[in-house]
PDB file of all heavy atoms in Angstrom:
ATOM      1  N   LEU A 176       5.953   0.527  13.750  1.00  0.00           N
ATOM      2  CA  LEU A 176       5.003  -0.496  13.294  1.00  0.00           C
ATOM      3  C   LEU A 176       3.778  -0.536  14.192  1.00  0.00           C
ATOM      4  O   LEU A 176       2.640  -0.621  13.715  1.00  0.00           O
ATOM      5  CB  LEU A 176       5.691  -1.864  13.282  1.00  0.00           C
ATOM      6  CG  LEU A 176       4.794  -3.079  12.976  1.00  0.00           C
ATOM      7  CD1 LEU A 176       4.208  -2.969  11.577  1.00  0.00           C
ATOM      8  CD2 LEU A 176       5.584  -4.377  13.140  1.00  0.00           C
ATOM      9  N   GLY A 177       3.985  -0.456  15.504  1.00  0.00           N
ATOM     10  CA  GLY A 177       2.871  -0.493  16.442  1.00  0.00           C
ATOM     11  C   GLY A 177       1.921   0.675  16.255  1.00  0.00           C
ATOM     12  O   GLY A 177       0.704   0.513  16.307  1.00  0.00           O
ATOM     13  N   TYR A 178       2.482   1.860  16.018  1.00  0.00           N
ATOM     14  CA  TYR A 178       1.641   3.027  15.746  1.00  0.00           C
ATOM     15  C   TYR A 178       0.818   2.806  14.478  1.00  0.00           C
ATOM     16  O   TYR A 178      -0.384   3.088  14.444  1.00  0.00           O
ATOM     17  CB  TYR A 178       2.497   4.291  15.600  1.00  0.00           C
ATOM     18  CG  TYR A 178       2.862   4.942  16.913  1.00  0.00           C
ATOM     19  CD1 TYR A 178       4.184   5.015  17.333  1.00  0.00           C
ATOM     20  CD2 TYR A 178       1.880   5.506  17.735  1.00  0.00           C
ATOM     21  CE1 TYR A 178       4.527   5.618  18.533  1.00  0.00           C
ATOM     22  CE2 TYR A 178       2.218   6.104  18.941  1.00  0.00           C
ATOM     23  CZ  TYR A 178       3.544   6.153  19.329  1.00  0.00           C
ATOM     24  OH  TYR A 178       3.865   6.741  20.522  1.00  0.00           O
ATOM     25  N   ARG A 179       1.468   2.296  13.439  1.00  0.00           N
ATOM     26  CA  ARG A 179       0.741   2.065  12.183  1.00  0.00           C
ATOM     27  C   ARG A 179      -0.353   1.019  12.355  1.00  0.00           C
ATOM     28  O   ARG A 179      -1.456   1.166  11.821  1.00  0.00           O
ATOM     29  CB  ARG A 179       1.720   1.630  11.075  1.00  0.00           C
ATOM     30  CG  ARG A 179       2.694   2.717  10.646  1.00  0.00           C
ATOM     31  CD  ARG A 179       3.343   2.372   9.317  1.00  0.00           C
ATOM     32  NE  ARG A 179       4.052   1.097   9.358  1.00  0.00           N
ATOM     33  CZ  ARG A 179       5.320   0.961   9.717  1.00  0.00           C
ATOM     34  NH1 ARG A 179       6.013   2.024  10.095  1.00  0.00           N
ATOM     35  NH2 ARG A 179       5.904  -0.215   9.702  1.00  0.00           N
ATOM     36  N   GLN A 180      -0.054  -0.021  13.111  1.00  0.00           N
ATOM     37  CA  GLN A 180      -1.060  -1.062  13.334  1.00  0.00           C
ATOM     38  C   GLN A 180      -2.248  -0.529  14.132  1.00  0.00           C
ATOM     39  O   GLN A 180      -3.354  -1.060  14.023  1.00  0.00           O
ATOM     40  CB  GLN A 180      -0.424  -2.258  14.048  1.00  0.00           C
ATOM     41  CG  GLN A 180       0.533  -3.041  13.162  1.00  0.00           C
ATOM     42  CD  GLN A 180       1.204  -4.192  13.898  1.00  0.00           C
ATOM     43  OE1 GLN A 180       1.317  -4.182  15.136  1.00  0.00           O
ATOM     44  NE2 GLN A 180       1.669  -5.174  13.157  1.00  0.00           N
ATOM     45  N   ARG A 181      -2.021   0.503  14.903  1.00  0.00           N
ATOM     46  CA  ARG A 181      -3.105   1.136  15.668  1.00  0.00           C
ATOM     47  C   ARG A 181      -3.881   2.130  14.804  1.00  0.00           C
ATOM     48  O   ARG A 181      -4.889   2.681  15.217  1.00  0.00           O
ATOM     49  CB  ARG A 181      -2.510   1.833  16.900  1.00  0.00           C
ATOM     50  CG  ARG A 181      -3.498   2.550  17.790  1.00  0.00           C
ATOM     51  CD  ARG A 181      -4.496   1.605  18.453  1.00  0.00           C
ATOM     52  NE  ARG A 181      -5.487   2.350  19.202  1.00  0.00           N
ATOM     53  CZ  ARG A 181      -6.629   2.810  18.707  1.00  0.00           C
ATOM     54  NH1 ARG A 181      -6.928   2.618  17.431  1.00  0.00           N
ATOM     55  NH2 ARG A 181      -7.475   3.470  19.469  1.00  0.00           N
ATOM     56  N   GLY A 182      -3.401   2.356  13.571  1.00  0.00           N
ATOM     57  CA  GLY A 182      -4.067   3.292  12.677  1.00  0.00           C
ATOM     58  C   GLY A 182      -3.481   4.674  12.706  1.00  0.00           C
ATOM     59  O   GLY A 182      -4.034   5.603  12.112  1.00  0.00           O
ATOM     60  N   LEU A 183      -2.346   4.823  13.405  1.00  0.00           N
ATOM     61  CA  LEU A 183      -1.686   6.122  13.517  1.00  0.00           C
ATOM     62  C   LEU A 183      -0.535   6.208  12.534  1.00  0.00           C
ATOM     63  O   LEU A 183       0.138   5.220  12.246  1.00  0.00           O
ATOM     64  CB  LEU A 183      -1.147   6.314  14.942  1.00  0.00           C
ATOM     65  CG  LEU A 183      -2.215   6.450  16.029  1.00  0.00           C
ATOM     66  CD1 LEU A 183      -1.620   6.183  17.405  1.00  0.00           C
ATOM     67  CD2 LEU A 183      -2.845   7.828  15.979  1.00  0.00           C
TER      68      LEU A 183
END
Side-chain angles (χ1 to χ4, degrees):
L176 174 63
Y178 277 115
R179 293 196 302 271
Q180 289 177 337
R181 179 65 185 89
L183 293 162

